[in-house]
Amino acid sequence: MRYPYKIVADSSANISTLSRVEFASAPLHILVGDQEFVDVPSTDLTAMQAALDAHNGPSSTTCPNPGTWKAAFGDAETIFCVTLTSKLSGTYDTANIAKQMYEKEHPGRKVYVYDTLSTGPEMVLLIEKIREMILAGASAEEIDRAAHNYMHHTHLLFSLASIDNLAKNGRMNRVVAKGISLLGIRVVGTANEVGALEMLDKCRGDQRAIICMIEHMKKRGYSGGRVIIAHNGNQPAAEALRKQIKKAFGAVRCDIHPTRGLCSYYAEPQSLLLGFES
């Protein structure tokens, strides 16, 4: 069936379905030694984490190839493709290759590709914005302009309970990483303006990390817009964060959902991701 509009995102958005608008997810892959985990809803995250814990060497991820993107595009006249930050992955590049192939094979059709410079819940904010405009009857050009503008007004914060994977891949000191895990330290950070992960603070425990995240929300101009929280096996902390956001800013719409494979790889167990509008 041919659709007038479709939204496609890579699996780091942590969603596989979207109501009222046609949607598809293109999976990334997580490589741990000789094991490969495809980031789909059925992925056994417990087994993936056990493999990561048992593996002392570096691990890696691979992005969807152009063929995977094209399969996700399906049969749509206009496609809005939302990708993980190009600073962490080649997803944006392969999506653009797929765009060129798709548009060449289907003259008159259009694929818009967005490098969100982020991941997880901040990607979902953009996806929801695009859906909102599709349902409002906006033209493709209007949606594209609004999407680019909207990305200047969304943010990502994270609280990492462990940085072991980063250390194993040479991005962090292994001794420091071990100390963070043993002492219950949370590393609070953000996706900065160029899409790189930037560390902001170190806090002892979830409660202090939540306070820190709310202070950083204020610094970024948050005053009551849309909020999405993703967590890796830490529903209590996610609920506590939502409660403190509502206490600080009033009755705001704030949804919670679990991370999938790619975000669970970077945001290890007990970690939080927070996307919000300013």
Side-chain angles (χ1 to χ4, degrees), residues 9 18 37 57 76 81 99 102-103 112 126 147 156 188 194 225 245 272:
L18 189 69
F37 298 87
C81 180
K99 161 191 165 68
Y102 189 84
E103 291 177 346
Y112 298 89
L126 179 61
L156 178 76
V188 174
V194 298
I245 290 171
L272 300 174

Side-chain angles (χ1 to χ4, degrees), residues 163-257:
I163 56 172
D164 286 347
N165 287 340
L166 293 172
K168 287 178 181 178
N169 290 326
R171 297 184 182 184
M172 292 283 180
N173 182 283
R174 284 201 175 207
V175 175
V176 172
K178 190 67 174 178
I180 285 173
S181 298
L182 291 174
L183 296 172
I185 300 295
R186 300 294 186 259
V187 177
V188 174
T190 187
N192 65 23
E193 60 185 12
V194 298
L197 300 185
E198 179 181 325
M199 306 306 171
L200 299 172
D201 294 291
K202 294 178 183 177
C203 306
R204 180 69 66 87
D206 285 330
Q207 184 175 356
R208 293 297 306 169
I210 287 169
I211 293 171
C212 182
M213 293 172 84
I214 289 174
E215 288 304 310
H216 283 293
M217 291 176 76
K218 293 176 181 177
K219 291 178 182 178
R220 284 157 178 74
Y222 181 76
S223 59
R226 181 82 168 92
V227 177
I228 300 175
I229 300 168
H231 70 91
N232 184 352
N234 199 349
Q235 183 77 24
E239 295 283 1
L241 176 56
R242 176 163 62 181
K243 181 179 179 180
Q244 290 303 315
I245 290 171
K246 292 188 174 185
K247 181 179 179 180
F249 301 106
V252 302
R253 182 184 171 193
C254 180
D255 294 338
I256 297 173
H257 58 248

